[in-house]
Amino acid sequence: MFYGFPFALAVLLLFAIGIVFMSLRVLREYERGVVFLLGRFWRVKGPGLVIIIPGVQQMVRVDLRVVTMDVPAQDVISRDNVSVKVNAVLYFRVVDPQKAIIQVEKYLVATSQLAQTTLRAVLGKHQLDEMLAERERLNLDIQRILDAQTDAWGIKVTNVEIKQVDLNDSMVRAIARQAEAERERRAKVIHADGEKQAAAALLEAAQMLARQPEAMQLRYLQTMTQVAGDRGSTIIFPLPMDILKAFTSGSSGPRT
């Protein structure tokens, strides 16, 4: 009896030490602990050293860091009936650990499924050209919708980025033909605009030369000088009658 008491005391001491060690939890700076007391929410603890009473209290760890989630490729039919595959990346973090644990069963899975359905719903309202050229605006629309819907879960969606829009081969060829036709149209418009400007410049030059006939003769002589420099060809050059009048007017006077 005398020897049994120290043994029982030692067992109780070891049991108490074990209970103390089981009660200690260490939460990192980016972690919080949602503590339940007999199944009811009690409080959010952390970071640092946290004491949990075994059998009475339970704690669920929640990571507060930004989560990078890859949204799988989704089959989307655009507003102009074009079938494409679109994948995106989602950035979000937990801002209210209590809601993230109590209001939704698995907030990671729920956010992923919501992102997939929202991606299909938003992109299905836009045409293919908008998906390719206005990604920034579409990213903001998807982020705004997701942020509003996940607010009840204590989650903040910080950014959404559409990574890639995949088209089938026939649509790629159609877009290439459309781009080629657009370039040809622009080339024709530029050529026609150049012809219009050249015609306007020639009209202005002709009006200036018509006001000064001597300028026309000087221009004629300058053109002859330029053509004469090419000795490898025979050139037939028309001679205007106005220039002949200048030479014949001096010899048509009375003879003595």
Side-chain angles (χ1 to χ4, degrees):
M1 191 70 179
F2 179 75
Y3 293 101
F5 180 75
F7 177 76
L9 183 62
V11 171
L12 291 176
L13 182 60
L14 291 176
F15 181 76
I17 294 175
I19 292 296
V20 171
F21 277 104
M22 292 175 59
S23 302
L24 298 180
R25 301 286 190 277
V26 177
L27 297 178
R28 298 179 178 87
E29 183 66 30
Y30 55 84
E31 290 181 329
R32 297 295 184 271
V34 180
V35 181
F36 295 89
L37 179 62
L38 297 177
R40 297 175 62 89
F41 170 76
W42 183 45
R43 59 180 298 184
V44 177
K45 290 188 175 183
L49 183 63
V50 178
I51 298 178
I52 301 297
I53 302 176
V56 178
Q57 294 179 336
Q58 298 84 30
M59 186 185 71
V60 181
R61 294 175 181 261
V62 180
D63 197 325
L64 302 184
R65 292 177 294 181
V66 175
V67 179
T68 303
M69 178 177 293
D70 188 21
V71 181
Q74 302 295 310
D75 292 324
V76 179
I77 299 179
S78 64
R79 189 176 179 181
D80 49 352
N81 296 325
V82 178
S83 179
V84 295
K85 282 185 174 294
V86 183
N87 62 342
V89 60
L90 176 67
Y91 300 90
F92 67 94
R93 60 187 179 89
V94 176
V95 294
D96 192 338
Q98 176 185 350
K99 292 182 179 180
I101 297 301
I102 298 177
Q103 299 298 329
V104 62
E105 181 181 2
K106 296 180 180 179
Y107 66 90
L108 292 175
V109 177
T111 304
S112 176
Q113 295 298 321
L114 182 61
Q116 297 178 33
T117 57
T118 304
L119 183 65
R120 293 194 300 267
V122 172
L123 296 184
K125 299 178 182 179
H126 296 80
Q127 297 183 0
L128 178 62
D129 294 340
E130 296 176 346
M131 295 184 193
L132 299 176
E134 300 181 7
R135 289 191 181 184
E136 187 66 26
R137 181 171 65 86
L138 296 178
N139 292 336
L140 294 177
D141 291 343
I142 298 173
Q143 175 188 349
R144 176 178 53 81
I145 295 174
L146 286 176
D147 191 31
Q149 294 182 351
T150 58
D151 182 68
W153 302 342
I155 294 175
K156 173 66 177 178
V157 178
T158 58
N159 195 13
V160 176
E161 292 291 339
I162 298 176
K163 294 197 301 183
Q164 190 173 358
V165 179
D166 294 329
L167 304 173
N168 53 36
D169 295 338
S170 61
M171 184 55 60
V172 172
R173 290 192 296 268
I175 293 177
R177 291 194 300 269
Q178 180 183 1
E180 183 178 359
E182 178 66 19
R183 293 190 183 95
E184 292 180 356
R185 185 188 67 83
R186 292 180 181 178
K188 292 179 180 179
V189 170
I190 293 173
H191 180 71
D193 188 53
E195 293 290 338
K196 181 180 178 181
Q197 295 178 5
L202 289 175
L203 178 60
E204 183 180 358
Q207 292 174 352
M208 293 178 62
L209 293 175
R211 290 195 297 266
Q212 297 292 335
E214 295 81 1
M216 183 64 187
Q217 296 179 6
L218 293 175
R219 181 60 182 166
Y220 180 80
L221 294 175
Q222 182 182 3
T223 304
M224 291 184 62
T225 303
Q226 294 176 354
V227 173
D230 188 4
R231 300 178 180 274
S233 60
T234 301
I235 301 172
I236 300 176
F237 204 93
L239 190 63
M241 296 301 298
D242 295 339
I243 298 180
L244 295 178
K245 291 180 181 179
F247 291 102
T248 57
S249 61
S251 59
S252 60
R255 297 181 180 179
T256 57

